Amino acid sequence: MRTRLVVTFVVVALISAVTATALAYRDARTAVLRRAQDAAVNDVRTRVTAVAADFDLPPDQRSLSRFASKVSDGLGARIVVARYHDLAAVSDALADTDGRITVELRTAVRAGDGTRFQRVMWRGEPYLVVGMPVTYADGDRRFSGLEVFVITDLRAERDDAAALLDSVRAGILPVVVLAAVLALLAAGTVLRPVRKLGRATRGLAEGDLGSRVAVTGHDELADLARTFNETADALQASDARLREQEAKARRFVADVSHELRTPLAAMTMVATVLEEDADQLPPDAARAARTVGAETARLSRLVEDLMEISRFDANAVRLNAAETDLADTVRASLAVRGWTDRVGVHLDEGVRAVVDRRRVDVIVANLVGNALRHGAPPVTVTLGTTTAADGEWVTVEVSDHGPGLPAEARERVFDRFYKADTARTRSAADTTGQGSGLGTAIALENARLHGGTIDVAEGPEGGAVFTLRLPLRRTEEGAE
């Protein structure tokens, strides 16, 4: 914007200066030429009238030459041409007059219509030619047959006009420089508050809700700054209210989950006893006992998941990281849940990284559990490493051959409590139990805690593919 303002100022100043120069030159040149021609016409008329009063007609060649010389002497040695019918005399015998006295001017003078003048260019130089007929002084203004032409050099006037043009041209550069300086000052005055407003806006966009702009003056920019500050105040107040409400909601979830743990523990013990004795109960009572046990276990898992999520929200989760063999971790996660025979593995051996083994186990369990419940065999877990511009990464890929996830479900599969469509039965965001809707959310939080992420895509042969990416940190890197 600064460049555009400066260029605009300079262009306007340059156009104004050039226009003023052209007009000034035109007016000055016209005034100089008019003054010269008016003076020449008056001088010629006066001198010719004075000399012609004592001139006898008809003249001979000698008297006509004396007449031309007398007129020329009184006009500052200008070139004078006198004609009387076929006779012609020139005050300067060496002067070439034929190229400077035009046929048009001779015709106008011969017509006897008074004094005539004409500006001509001869050999690249300007001249003023004044012609007049000499009339009898008896009051009838009869043409005597004597014609007088006076040639005046206009080079001095031309040089004066050119000098004026040069001086005006020389003034264009200071005008342009002054315009550029004024444009820079004006641009600084206008753009300085705009830059401040831009910095404050960027700060607000980056999360600095205390970013404000100093308001000075009473112009439109000051009104804009005040509006920005008012908007920032409202946004900061709204953010504070939302944060307070969010904190209250998190505390409520954490408190409720904590309070539910004790009665759930008791319910779990009772449900366990009922399930153990279910075979000795009547069929309806046995079915009810098993249902209570399953739902109690599910509720317990939900409470544990809520507690885990609340710890993530409160930033109370810390990594217990150590260098770990990731292939052993994946195999152990599958074995402890009895999935070894149901899941195919392709594990690169010797892949070691600094991770929290328990949290990696949670991630693998959630992703594989979802694939087993909602996908279709074969379910495959692939462990490997990749190298990218941002470093080395460990990848754990879990794929199935089920119905897969639609595009809208893939975008929201990591949202808390999100339930996918019926193509994946209960939920695409399940835990190791029956669908709390928090499993993939917890898995993603654990991945982020390691500095990694989880992506979901459609498999090349159908099904869903979840890919865990963790930075490949070694022991010495972890110690740093």
Side-chain angles (χ1 to χ4, degrees), residues 252-307:
F252 175 76
V253 172
D255 293 343
V256 169
S257 300
H258 182 74
E259 292 299 325
L260 286 175
R261 297 182 74 177
T262 301
L264 274 175
M267 292 173 60
T268 301
M269 289 188 294
V270 173
T272 301
V273 172
L274 289 175
E275 284 188 285
E276 290 176 352
D277 296 336
D279 294 337
Q280 302 174 11
L281 297 175
D284 291 340
R287 186 165 51 254
R290 293 190 181 94
T291 300
V292 168
E295 294 302 322
T296 300
R298 183 184 174 207
L299 183 58
S300 297
R301 284 188 292 271
L302 174 60
V303 170
E304 291 299 327
D305 287 345
L306 289 173
M307 290 290 292

Side-chain angles (χ1 to χ4, degrees), residues 223-274:
D223 293 339
L224 180 60
R226 276 190 288 271
T227 302
F228 173 82
N229 290 341
E230 293 170 359
T231 303
D233 290 339
L235 181 61
Q236 188 173 28
S238 176
D239 179 75
R241 288 194 298 270
L242 290 175
R243 288 179 183 275
E244 183 180 0
Q245 293 172 2
E246 184 180 12
K248 289 181 179 178
R250 289 174 178 173
R251 285 195 300 270
F252 175 76
V253 172
D255 293 343
V256 169
S257 300
H258 182 74
E259 292 299 325
L260 286 175
R261 297 182 74 177
T262 301
L264 274 175
M267 292 173 60
T268 301
M269 289 188 294
V270 173
T272 301
V273 172
L274 289 175

Side-chain angles (χ1 to χ4, degrees), residues 44 68 71-72 75-82 89-97 100-101 122 127-130 148-153:
V44 169
V71 173
S72 176
L75 294 176
R78 296 174 186 173
I79 300 174
V80 177
V81 178
V90 182
S91 61
D92 184 355
L94 300 178
D96 182 4
T97 60
R100 285 178 273 189
I101 302 174
W122 183 71
Y127 293 91
L128 176 67
V129 182
V130 180
V148 181
F149 298 91
V150 179
I151 301 173
T152 303
D153 191 348

Side-chain angles (χ1 to χ4, degrees), residues 5-42:
L5 284 175
V6 172
V7 170
T8 301
F9 266 80
V10 171
V11 169
V12 170
L14 185 60
I15 292 175
S16 302
V18 170
T19 303
T21 299
L23 293 176
Y25 174 72
R26 185 196 65 182
D27 293 343
R29 180 175 178 274
T30 301
V32 169
L33 293 177
R34 183 172 295 169
R35 183 173 63 249
Q37 74 187 22
D38 290 346
V41 169
N42 290 332

Side-chain angles (χ1 to χ4, degrees), residues 30-249:
T30 301
V32 169
L33 293 177
R34 183 172 295 169
R35 183 173 63 249
Q37 74 187 22
D38 290 346
V41 169
N42 290 332
D43 291 345
V44 169
R45 185 183 293 119
T46 301
R47 183 61 180 170
V48 170
T49 301
V51 175
D54 299 329
F55 185 66
D56 295 329
L57 295 174
D60 56 17
Q61 184 64 47
R62 179 177 296 179
S63 63
L64 189 61
S65 297
R66 286 197 302 269
F67 175 83
S69 297
K70 287 182 179 180
V71 173
S72 176
D73 292 341
L75 294 176
R78 296 174 186 173
I79 300 174
V80 177
V81 178
R83 291 179 178 275
Y84 186 82
H85 299 303
D86 294 333
L87 296 178
V90 182
S91 61
D92 184 355
L94 300 178
D96 182 4
T97 60
D98 290 339
R100 285 178 273 189
I101 302 174
T102 64
V103 175
E104 294 84 2
L105 182 60
R106 288 174 181 170
T107 303
V109 171
R110 188 171 292 118
D113 293 335
T115 305
R116 299 290 179 177
F117 64 88
Q118 186 179 39
R119 290 196 295 270
V120 297
M121 294 295 295
W122 183 71
R123 295 179 180 177
E125 301 294 343
Y127 293 91
L128 176 67
V129 182
V130 180
M132 63 176 293
V134 177
T135 59
Y136 289 105
D138 56 2
D140 293 338
R141 295 189 60 81
R142 291 179 295 114
F143 182 43
S144 65
L146 179 62
E147 302 169 0
V148 181
F149 298 91
V150 179
I151 301 173
T152 303
D153 191 348
L154 293 179
R155 284 179 291 184
E157 286 74 11
R158 179 200 60 187
D159 293 341
D160 291 341
L164 176 62
L165 179 61
D166 291 339
S167 64
V168 175
R169 283 175 177 171
I172 292 179
L173 181 59
V175 169
V176 172
V177 173
L178 179 61
V181 172
L182 293 176
L184 287 172
L185 294 176
T189 302
V190 173
L191 296 180
R192 190 176 298 111
V194 173
R195 285 195 297 269
K196 291 180 180 178
L197 184 60
R199 285 194 295 268
T201 303
R202 286 191 294 272
L204 194 65
E206 292 170 358
D208 181 10
L209 299 183
S211 179
R212 298 292 185 275
V213 180
V215 179
T216 56
H218 302 281
D219 55 9
E220 290 81 359
L221 290 175
D223 293 339
L224 180 60
R226 276 190 288 271
T227 302
F228 173 82
N229 290 341
E230 293 170 359
T231 303
D233 290 339
L235 181 61
Q236 188 173 28
S238 176
D239 179 75
R241 288 194 298 270
L242 290 175
R243 288 179 183 275
E244 183 180 0
Q245 293 172 2
E246 184 180 12
K248 289 181 179 178

